[in-house]
Amino acid sequence: MARIANHTSEQTKERIISSFIKLLEKNDVDRISVSELCRTAKINRGTFYYYYKDIFDLVSQLENRLINELKIIFPNLIDGIFNKELSLLTEMFNKIEENRDFFLSVLERRPSGKIQSEMKEYVYDYTTKLFNSNLSNLPIKQKGILEYMASGQAGIVWWWIKKGQLIPADEFAKIVLEINESGPFNALLKEKA
């Protein structure tokens, strides 16, 4: 019986989230009311408040969910680049593509620095572990390079999401790998030729 209740509970939360994302496509967070969300999700207010304190608690939980999703898939980005494994990159971009509305709504309509900050920190930690190092012990020059890498990787992924994945995941994976192998200027010059 508890399993059925959990399943229904998860379905209800997903209905609230998908309704919120639909509303977020048309409105800023500040303009979405609990009443409007409940009407859209076809739930009563008590159900909403069972899961969330208010709209901003919902947003915070969505941001945390996005961060956790990215932490699952970002190792594929880093490992794919370091090991030149196109399949890892393609797998990661396919996962993002499958959840585009979720990523886009949270990143574009509620662009808090929390997501970018946590993801950069995660990329730093993960990358320094690959080099058997500690971020605090890195020389300043290496920290600068790491900042450039982390910002570039996050930036190109955000750009791809915001542009509606105009480039298919497998092609985009090739582009990201090319940029990282050749450097951004050489990759751009190669495209120009």
Side-chain angles (χ1 to χ4, degrees), residues 27-44:
N27 304 296
D28 289 335
V29 174
D30 300 346
R31 295 196 159 295
I32 299 173
S33 69
V34 172
S35 297
E36 180 182 21
L37 177 56
C38 290
R39 273 193 306 278
T40 305
K42 296 182 171 82
I43 60 166
N44 63 45

Side-chain angles (χ1 to χ4, degrees), residues 153-166:
Q153 303 315 315
I156 196 165
V157 172
W158 300 161
W159 172 84
W160 184 65
I161 292 168
K162 287 180 182 181
K163 293 296 178 185
Q165 292 106 355
L166 296 173

Side-chain angles (χ1 to χ4, degrees), residues 6-152:
N6 284 343
H7 181 67
T8 304
S9 176
E10 286 304 311
Q11 286 176 330
T12 302
K13 284 181 83 169
E14 286 305 312
R15 196 164 70 235
I16 292 168
I17 290 167
S18 66
S19 296
F20 179 71
I21 290 170
K22 282 180 192 172
L23 291 170
L24 201 53
E25 289 171 2
K26 300 172 193 162
N27 304 296
D28 289 335
V29 174
D30 300 346
R31 295 196 159 295
I32 299 173
S33 69
V34 172
S35 297
E36 180 182 21
L37 177 56
C38 290
R39 273 193 306 278
T40 305
K42 296 182 171 82
I43 60 166
N44 63 45
R45 290 172 62 89
T47 302
F48 174 84
Y49 287 115
Y50 179 77
Y51 298 108
Y52 309 102
K53 292 181 223 164
D54 54 29
I55 292 289
F56 297 102
D57 181 42
L58 169 60
V59 170
S60 177
Q61 288 187 40
L62 278 175
E63 286 176 334
N64 290 335
R65 178 176 161 183
L66 177 59
I67 289 165
N68 290 332
E69 287 280 328
L70 289 171
K71 283 181 178 179
I72 291 168
I73 60 179
F74 256 57
N76 285 356
L77 173 67
I78 299 164
D79 292 344
I81 290 167
F82 281 116
N83 300 319
K84 298 179 183 169
E85 289 187 38
L86 199 56
S87 62
L88 287 176
L89 292 171
T90 302
E91 181 184 328
M92 185 195 84
F93 294 132
N94 280 330
K95 176 80 170 162
I96 291 172
E97 212 167 38
E98 289 168 15
N99 296 289
R100 179 186 182 273
D101 291 341
F102 173 67
F103 283 99
L104 188 59
S105 67
V106 176
L107 288 172
E108 197 165 82
R109 291 291 189 170
R110 182 74 176 169
S112 79
K114 177 182 176 183
I115 295 168
Q116 288 82 349
S117 173
E118 288 211 27
M119 291 320 302
K120 267 188 177 180
E121 188 175 321
Y122 180 75
V123 170
Y124 291 157
D125 290 345
Y126 191 84
T127 305
T128 52
K129 283 177 190 168
L130 284 176
F131 291 107
N132 295 321
S133 188
N134 183 327
L135 182 60
S136 61
N137 296 337
L138 288 178
I140 192 71
K141 183 177 177 183
Q142 288 180 351
K143 286 181 181 178
I145 293 168
L146 194 53
E147 173 69 26
Y148 178 82
M149 287 172 47
S151 297

